[in-house]
Amino acid sequence: MGNGNSFKHLKTKEVNELIKSTKFTVEEIHKWHGHFVKECPKGRLGKVEFQDIYSHVFPLGNPEKFSGFVFNVFDKNGDGTISFQEFLMALSITSRGNVDEKLDWAFKLYDIDKDGHISREEMTEIISAIVEMVGPNHGLSTLSAKSKANQIFDSMDCNKDGYLTADEFRICAKKDPWIVHALAMDPAYLHR
């Protein structure tokens, strides 16, 4: 989708593809595109620019690690940049997706090495990155992040094999609303 050369104007074909692959209307697609082009005049969002966005949202913490993990999920084709199409598809899932879509997206985030399952170490890395991102005002430390990651992992590892598959992740997360909120990176739920 989109070759990056004509990024300032969306073609009808691109809009139609985005209508099919997102939950946005034609008007919303054009509005988001206008914002994207304004913020990314080259038509692509790089990792540094993406981290800058997170830095504005979380000025008291260090969002570098976490934004890097999120960037990797947005960058579906792995070219090191986020196109408008990749941005809008991820935004559609994270903002308007149903629970299954959001959990599938979250699974991709937590499966850092993309091997099809989440290890305890990956869970710890993500939770620690969240703690670093939100900063000290939420009363969480790296040590408590490890403990919280272990707690979440243990409650989700239904078959106790030391790994979470996508199905296990989805099924176990749906059983416990606390897990869904914690996985959604809600700092209030990480305290519980």
Side-chain angles (χ1 to χ4, degrees):
M1 264 194 246
N3 59 13
N5 294 330
S6 60
F7 65 90
K8 291 191 179 183
H9 303 288
L10 283 174
K11 295 178 183 171
T12 302
K13 181 181 177 185
E14 292 172 317
V15 172
N16 289 336
E17 288 175 7
L18 286 168
I19 288 170
K20 290 177 189 172
S21 61
T22 70
K23 297 181 182 198
F24 292 109
T25 65
V26 173
E27 294 79 18
E28 290 170 324
I29 290 168
H30 284 289
K31 183 177 178 180
W32 276 111
H33 186 258
H35 292 303
F36 189 87
V37 170
K38 183 179 176 187
E39 295 299 318
C40 307
K42 294 181 180 178
R44 315 249 346 141
L45 183 58
K47 195 172 257 190
V48 171
E49 293 88 2
F50 194 75
Q51 289 172 348
D52 286 346
I53 293 168
Y54 270 79
S55 293
H56 292 325
V57 177
F58 297 98
L60 301 177
N62 179 0
E64 185 176 341
K65 274 188 194 173
F66 185 76
S67 65
F69 294 137
V70 174
F71 182 90
N72 292 337
V73 179
F74 272 60
D75 180 18
K76 286 185 84 142
N77 67 2
D79 70 354
T81 63
I82 299 172
S83 69
F84 174 68
Q85 289 81 358
E86 289 170 322
F87 171 78
L88 202 64
M89 286 189 281
L91 184 63
S92 177
I93 291 169
T94 58
S95 67
R96 297 185 178 180
N98 62 37
V99 171
D100 284 330
E101 291 168 330
K102 288 179 179 182
L103 287 173
D104 287 343
W105 191 90
F107 180 84
K108 291 174 186 169
L109 175 67
Y110 280 77
D111 182 17
I112 297 168
D113 63 8
K114 300 180 185 349
D115 64 356
H117 65 266
I118 300 169
S119 67
R120 183 177 301 275
E121 293 75 22
E122 287 172 315
M123 177 73 69
T124 302
E125 247 188 278
I126 295 290
I127 300 296
S128 294
I130 293 167
V131 169
E132 286 179 31
M133 176 179 67
V134 297
N137 289 347
H138 290 284
L140 294 168
S141 67
T142 304
L143 184 59
S144 64
K146 184 174 183 175
S147 173
K148 190 54 67 176
N150 283 328
Q151 179 186 359
I152 294 169
F153 191 89
D154 289 341
S155 68
M156 294 186 80
D157 188 11
C158 299
N159 65 2
K160 305 301 179 206
D161 67 352
Y163 295 97
L164 304 176
T165 65
D167 287 338
E168 190 175 25
F169 182 83
R170 191 181 320 101
I171 291 165
C172 293
K174 283 180 170 180
K175 288 180 184 176
D176 189 344
W178 178 87
I179 292 173
V180 174
H181 286 286
L183 293 171
M185 289 124 341
D186 184 344
Y189 279 84
L190 291 175
H191 286 293
R192 297 181 181 177

